[in-house]
Amino acid sequence: MFLSYRRSDSAGHAGRLYDALVDRFGEDNVFMDVDSIEPGEDFIEAIDRTIARAGALIVVIGPSWLTDRLRDVNDVVRMEIEKAFDHGIRVIPVLVDNAVMPTAGDLPVELRALASRNAVELSASRFQYDAGRVVSAVESVVDSAPVDLRSELDEPRVLAFDVGRRIEAPLDVVWALLIDFERAPEIYSMTQSLELLSDGPAGIGTRYRQTINVIGVGISSDAVVVVFDPPFSLVVIQLISGSPTTRLEYVLASAEGGATYITCKGWAFGSGWKLKAMAKASKLFDQHFARKELAELAVVAEQQAR
């Protein structure tokens, strides 16, 4: 997990919380700040790479956390939160020193989703209890990742495409349709069939087998949900022969006028020349499918919202 904080605002609390997280998850699994980046590494790439592999981003917010620095696109804290939203991972605000959650109006557009996240209050008088709540929140995310995928998710991957669309329908309507896997053949014209391979409502660990129509030929692949953060983010890993090939990250945000803006990023897995080949193939096909999928999702959502 990734711990985000301002040194001038909450270094002491962040340090104690870091110790609590390390006690539970181990030092190698907790990233605290730029001190963890090796000399000579590209700073932005290191943050992006670390957050992309994180199970959760913990944002420690003190009384002076909300400053004009958030308006600067190069502000480290802003960059960390934006990257977390981009990758669709869970964002957990932690309030210290009687700080209050910022409102959406206090934040840049790119960070406004933070205002809707449930926060944990961390007080000095009951630190152990409150820190335990943070640890439990992280456990619910990290420990629920499918066990057989944890090692594969560390494989090299590259961003193949990034598409987005405004949908004239409320966030909850779009989210409900996005996770209604059984209706996929009805909503998306390229989906021939979808068979659920797991029981229960949609969530982390949900598995399904999807058959896509490609130039008249049905191509099937399995998929598993690895991030499920309603109604903001959904991450699905596509599998062939049990190995990950593509990571699809859907991120939703409320837009002006009661609309929703949804993005879909596609990451290709592989190594060496295979990674480049997978990325090129994903950009050629999966990007087209994602654009068409978002357009058809918009049609159904907008009809339902009328």
Side-chain angles (χ1 to χ4, degrees):
M1 62 293 306
F2 194 108
L3 194 60
S4 172
Y5 71 103
R6 292 198 186 281
R7 293 187 178 185
S8 60
D9 173 56
S10 55
H13 289 89
R16 293 185 69 189
L17 183 56
Y18 171 82
D19 291 339
L21 291 167
V22 167
D23 284 344
R24 169 59 182 86
F25 300 105
E27 188 173 1
D28 291 341
N29 294 314
V30 185
F31 184 101
M32 184 167 178
D33 55 30
V34 295
D35 290 341
S36 300
I37 299 176
E38 295 293 331
E41 276 194 277
D42 184 286
F43 175 72
I44 296 177
E45 286 185 4
I47 288 180
D48 187 49
R49 181 178 64 252
T50 305
I51 290 179
R53 295 180 177 179
L57 178 86
I58 300 165
V59 184
V60 182
I61 299 174
S64 57
W65 180 87
L66 187 63
T67 71
D68 289 339
R69 292 165 62 186
L70 279 177
R71 305 290 171 182
D72 181 357
V73 294
N74 295 314
D75 176 55
V76 175
V77 168
R78 171 175 173 158
M79 193 182 305
E80 292 166 349
I81 300 171
E82 277 194 59
K83 295 289 186 185
F85 286 145
D86 286 345
H87 287 292
I89 72 170
R90 179 70 60 88
V91 177
I92 304 172
V94 175
L95 305 177
V96 300
D97 285 340
N98 299 313
V100 297
M101 276 295 292
T103 66
D106 294 329
L107 300 167
V109 173
E110 295 80 1
L111 303 187
R112 287 182 179 173
L114 179 67
S116 303
R117 304 300 168 106
N118 288 330
V120 177
E121 294 184 11
L122 192 65
S123 64
S125 61
R126 56 178 191 182
F127 179 85
Q128 294 300 327
Y129 171 77
D130 291 340
R133 293 177 61 207
V134 178
V135 169
S136 295
V138 176
E139 283 177 333
S140 69
V141 179
V142 177
D143 289 347
S144 56
V147 174
D148 57 343
L149 270 180
R150 289 177 189 168
S151 60
E152 281 94 341
L153 293 180
D154 287 332
E155 286 188 9
R157 62 177 182 256
V158 65
L159 181 64
F161 65 85
D162 183 354
V163 298
R165 184 183 181 92
R166 178 185 169 96
I167 299 178
E168 302 299 331
L171 185 65
D172 59 338
V173 171
V174 178
W175 173 261
L177 288 170
L178 181 66
I179 65 169
D180 194 347
F181 301 118
E182 291 182 295
R183 287 187 64 191
E186 171 192 338
I187 298 171
Y188 311 115
S189 61
M190 293 180 67
T191 300
Q192 286 185 351
S193 64
L194 189 146
E195 175 192 1
L196 284 172
L197 304 176
S198 57
D199 298 326
I204 292 177
T206 293
R207 287 178 177 264
Y208 57 85
R209 180 167 297 130
Q210 187 175 26
T211 301
I212 304 295
N213 185 349
V214 181
I215 318 177
V217 178
I219 298 178
S220 298
S221 63
D222 290 358
V224 58
V225 175
V226 296
V227 173
F228 191 84
D229 187 14
F232 303 108
S233 60
L234 174 75
V235 177
V236 176
I237 302 291
Q238 293 182 331
L239 309 163
I240 294 181
S241 300
S243 297
T245 59
T246 309
R247 174 184 173 103
L248 298 174
E249 301 175 349
Y250 298 90
V251 177
L252 292 75
S254 295
E256 293 181 2
T260 300
Y261 193 81
I262 181 171
T263 60
C264 177
K265 287 186 176 183
W267 297 78
F269 289 91
S271 59
W273 66 270
K274 290 184 179 180
L275 179 57
K276 293 182 179 179
M278 287 297 299
K280 185 175 182 179
S282 183
K283 187 170 185 178
L284 288 173
F285 172 70
D286 293 330
Q287 179 174 245
H288 167 71
F289 177 76
R291 282 203 179 103
K292 189 173 181 63
E293 181 185 64
L294 295 187
E296 293 174 340
L297 177 66
V299 170
V300 177
E302 290 168 0
Q303 289 177 343
Q304 190 168 311
R306 288 175 187 157

